[in-house]
Amino acid sequence: MKKNVIVLIISVIFSAGCGAENLLALYEMARENDSLIRSAKANQKAEYEAENIAFSDLLPSLNLGGDYSYTQNNIKSSPTLATGIKKFTSNSASLTLRQPLFRQDRFLALQKSKTEVKKSDNKLKIAEQDLIMRLSRSYFNILSKKDGLLFSEKEERAISRQLQQEKERFSVGLVAITSVLEVQARYDRSKASLILARSKLDNAIEEIREIIKNSDGKIAPLKDNITLVNPTPNTVDHWINLALKNNPEVLVARLNREIAYKDMKIQRSGHLPKIDLVGSVGKTRIEDNKGTDTDTAVIGIELQIPIYSGGKTSSAYRQASFRYDSAKELLEKEERSIRRRVRESFLGVQSSISTVKAFEATEKSAIAALEATEAGFEAGTRSLVDVLNSQRDFFRARKDYAQSKYDYILHTLTLLQSAGVLAREDIIRVNNWLE
C-alpha cells in the first residue's frame, strides 16, 4: 500500500504540472485583461486631465467675437436729422484677452486637483494589489478544489473496491448483509461527495476566468516542500507602522481628508475679491450715407467684490466643513481597520506555519496508520470499517496538509497587502514554490 500511495502522489504531481500555467504567467495575463485594473487606469488618466483643466483656469483666455446687423429707422420728426426711412448695416469684430490676476478659488482648485491625482495613483495601487490577492486566492482555490476532487475520486474508488470485495464475501457466507449495507452507505456518500467536488472545481475555474478572461484550469501545483518563513521583522508593531505609512487605502483616506479641507478653503474664498487683467481690440464699421469706421483698443483691471449672494457662500462653506469632519472620521476608521487587519494577518502567518508542520506530521501518521490497519485486516485483527476509516483519514490528511500550505501563502500575501508593500516581486517569490 505504501508503494501504491507514493506512485499515486508522484503521478498526480507530474500530470498536473505538464502544460500548466503558473501564477506569474496568469498574473501577466490578468494585468492586461482584468476589468478593474483597466478601469482604475482610465480613472487615473481622467484625474490627470482634471489637473490640466484646473491649471488652464489660471492661464490667459483669448476670445474672438463679432456681429453683423441690419437697421431700419423711420424718422418722423427731428430738429437735426432729415425725416424718412433710413437703412444701414453695421458690423464689428473684437479680440478679448483675459488674464486672472487674483482668483483664490481657482488656485485652490489647482491644488485640489493635484491631490486628486495622488489619490488616483493610490487607487490604481489598490486595484493592482487587489488583483494579486484575487488571482492568488482563485489560483490556490483551484488547487484546493483539485485536491478535494482527487481525494474524493480515490476515496470513491477505494470504497468501491471494498464494496465489491464485501459483496463477494457475503455471497460465500463469510460476512452478514449488515456489513455490505454499511459499505454501500459509505460508497453512496462518497459518490455524492465526488459530484460536489467536481462542481466546486468548475466554480473555481469560472472564478479565475472572470479575472483573466480565458482559462482551462490547468495550473502548476505547489511543491511538496516550501520554505516557511516568519514575518521579518517578527514584530507586529513594525508591520502596523509600515501599514499606516504605505497602505494605499489609508493614504486614500488621508487624501480624502486633504481634499475635503481644500474644498472648504475653496468655498471660503467665495468672500474674496476677483481681479482680472482685461484687454481687447475691436473694429466697428457702419454702412450708412456717410459711413463710419472705428478702431478700438482697451486695457484695464477688472475687480469684482462679492457683497451678498443670499447666504449661498456661507452655506457652501458650512457644507464643506461638515464633509471635512466626515473625512476625518473615515480616516480614523480606516486606520483602526488596518491595525486590526495587520494583526490578523501577522498572527495568521505565524499560526499557519505551525499548522503546516502539524498537518505534515498528521499525514505521515495517517500513512503509517493506514498501512498498519490494512496489515491487521489481512491478519484478521481489524475490521473493514477500520480500513475504511483509515483510508478516509489518509485522504483527509493529504488534503488538509495541502490546504495548510495554501493558507500560509495567502496569509503572507495578505500581510504584505495590509502593509501596502505587496508587489509583482512577491508573485515571483510564490511562483518559485510551484512545480
Side-chain angles (χ1 to χ4, degrees):
M1 176 63 187
K2 181 177 181 180
K3 185 181 295 183
N4 292 337
V5 170
I6 295 174
V7 171
L8 167 65
I9 294 172
I10 293 176
S11 63
V12 169
I13 293 176
F14 180 77
S15 61
C18 293
E21 296 284 356
N22 59 36
L23 183 61
L24 181 59
L26 293 179
Y27 173 69
E28 298 298 343
M29 293 172 58
R31 290 189 65 185
E32 299 298 326
N33 294 289
D34 184 65
S35 299
L36 294 179
I37 287 290
R38 288 187 292 189
S39 174
K41 288 180 178 179
N43 286 332
Q44 183 189 44
K45 293 177 181 178
E47 292 301 335
Y48 274 58
E49 293 302 323
E51 181 181 3
N52 294 333
I53 293 172
F55 181 68
S56 68
D57 287 336
L58 296 174
L59 299 178
S61 61
L62 189 62
N63 295 296
L64 177 64
D67 68 79
Y68 176 86
S69 63
Y70 170 80
T71 304
Q72 176 178 304
N73 291 331
N74 186 3
I75 302 175
K76 295 182 178 180
S77 63
S78 174
T80 59
L81 298 176
T83 60
I85 297 176
K86 292 187 176 183
K87 303 176 182 180
F88 63 91
T89 61
S90 63
N91 58 78
S92 65
S94 63
L95 187 65
T96 303
L97 175 69
R98 180 180 294 271
Q99 169 62 57
L101 297 180
F102 182 78
R103 290 292 190 106
Q104 185 69 3
D105 57 337
R106 296 184 180 183
F107 176 76
L108 292 172
L110 175 60
Q111 300 303 314
K112 176 184 174 182
S113 68
K114 291 180 178 180
T115 307
E116 293 278 10
V117 168
K118 294 179 182 178
K119 176 182 171 181
S120 69
D121 292 340
N122 280 281
K123 281 192 170 182
L124 177 58
K125 188 176 181 180
I126 291 174
E128 290 174 340
Q129 292 188 349
D130 180 66
L131 172 62
I132 293 176
M133 290 307 306
R134 285 187 290 117
L135 179 62
S136 299
R137 290 191 182 100
S138 297
Y139 188 96
F140 290 109
N141 187 40
I142 289 179
L143 289 182
S144 176
K145 296 304 181 285
K146 283 187 174 183
D147 291 340
L149 177 58
L150 171 65
F151 303 144
S152 294
E153 289 174 344
K154 295 306 174 183
E155 184 178 37
E156 189 267 344
R157 290 175 186 174
I159 298 176
S160 177
R161 289 195 296 267
Q162 295 294 341
L163 177 60
Q164 182 181 1
Q165 181 181 5
E166 201 68 7
K167 287 181 178 179
E168 292 174 355
R169 291 184 176 183
F170 171 73
S171 64
V172 296
L174 295 179
V175 296
I177 188 62
T178 55
S179 181
V180 177
L181 295 176
E182 287 178 354
V183 180
Q184 182 68 54
R186 286 179 177 268
Y187 177 68
D188 292 339
R189 283 197 297 270
S190 70
K191 288 182 64 176
S193 298
L194 181 58
I195 294 172
L196 182 59
R198 286 173 179 163
S199 175
K200 289 182 177 179
L201 176 58
D202 291 338
N203 292 336
I205 294 174
E206 288 301 322
E207 183 179 334
I208 205 168
R209 282 176 181 162
E210 182 181 358
I211 300 173
I212 64 173
K213 196 174 183 180
N214 295 310
S215 176
D216 56 4
K218 295 180 180 179
I219 59 177
L222 192 65
K223 294 178 181 177
D224 280 342
N225 297 318
I226 63 173
T227 304
L228 304 177
V229 181
N230 277 305
T232 304
N234 197 15
T235 56
V236 69
D237 289 339
H238 167 83
W239 289 93
I240 290 176
N241 293 332
L242 188 64
L244 292 175
K245 180 180 178 182
N246 294 291
N247 184 277
E249 294 181 6
V250 173
L251 296 180
V252 165
R254 287 177 184 161
L255 291 170
N256 281 335
R257 180 189 62 178
E258 184 178 342
I259 290 170
Y261 179 71
K262 288 179 179 178
D263 191 53
M264 187 171 61
K265 293 175 67 175
I266 290 173
Q267 300 305 325
R268 185 168 56 189
S269 69
H271 295 292
L272 300 178
K274 299 176 177 62
I275 303 175
D276 293 340
L277 174 65
V278 182
S280 66
V281 293
K283 185 179 183 65
T284 302
R285 184 175 181 82
I286 300 175
E287 301 286 350
D288 56 5
N289 292 334
K290 297 181 179 180
T292 303
D293 198 349
T294 306
D295 293 333
T296 305
V298 178
I299 187 170
I301 301 293
E302 184 178 289
L303 172 65
Q304 297 181 38
I305 301 177
I307 301 299
Y308 182 69
S309 59
K312 177 181 178 181
T313 302
S314 298
S315 180
Y317 172 74
R318 290 193 300 270
Q319 182 187 55
S321 66
F322 292 140
R323 288 175 176 168
Y324 174 67
D325 292 338
S326 174
K328 287 195 300 182
E329 295 302 324
L330 291 176
L331 172 58
E332 176 66 22
K333 174 186 177 298
E334 191 61 43
E335 289 179 343
R336 293 179 185 178
S337 175
I338 200 61
R339 287 187 176 95
R340 173 188 58 79
R341 287 153 52 193
V342 168
R343 288 192 180 96
E344 289 179 352
S345 301
F346 183 86
L347 295 175
V349 173
Q350 291 184 324
S351 62
S352 60
I353 291 176
S354 301
T355 303
V356 170
K357 294 178 179 179
F359 279 122
E360 182 180 14
T362 301
E363 183 197 32
K364 294 178 180 179
S365 300
I367 293 175
L370 178 57
E371 292 174 346
T373 303
E374 289 195 332
F377 178 73
E378 293 175 359
T381 59
R382 302 297 295 271
S383 68
L384 177 62
V385 174
D386 294 332
V387 175
L388 294 176
N389 287 335
S390 293
Q391 289 176 342
R392 179 197 59 198
D393 293 341
F394 164 70
F395 291 131
R396 181 179 298 166
R398 280 292 302 172
K399 182 177 182 298
D400 291 343
Y401 178 44
Q403 185 63 52
S404 67
K405 290 186 287 186
Y406 305 152
D407 291 341
Y408 164 75
I409 294 173
L410 293 177
H411 280 307
T412 300
L413 294 177
T414 302
L415 177 61
L416 294 172
Q417 181 193 30
S418 298
V421 294
L422 183 63
R424 182 176 182 272
E425 290 72 19
D426 300 299
I427 287 288
I428 295 175
R429 181 160 61 95
V430 173
N431 199 69
N432 291 332
W433 293 339
L434 303 176
E435 291 288 345

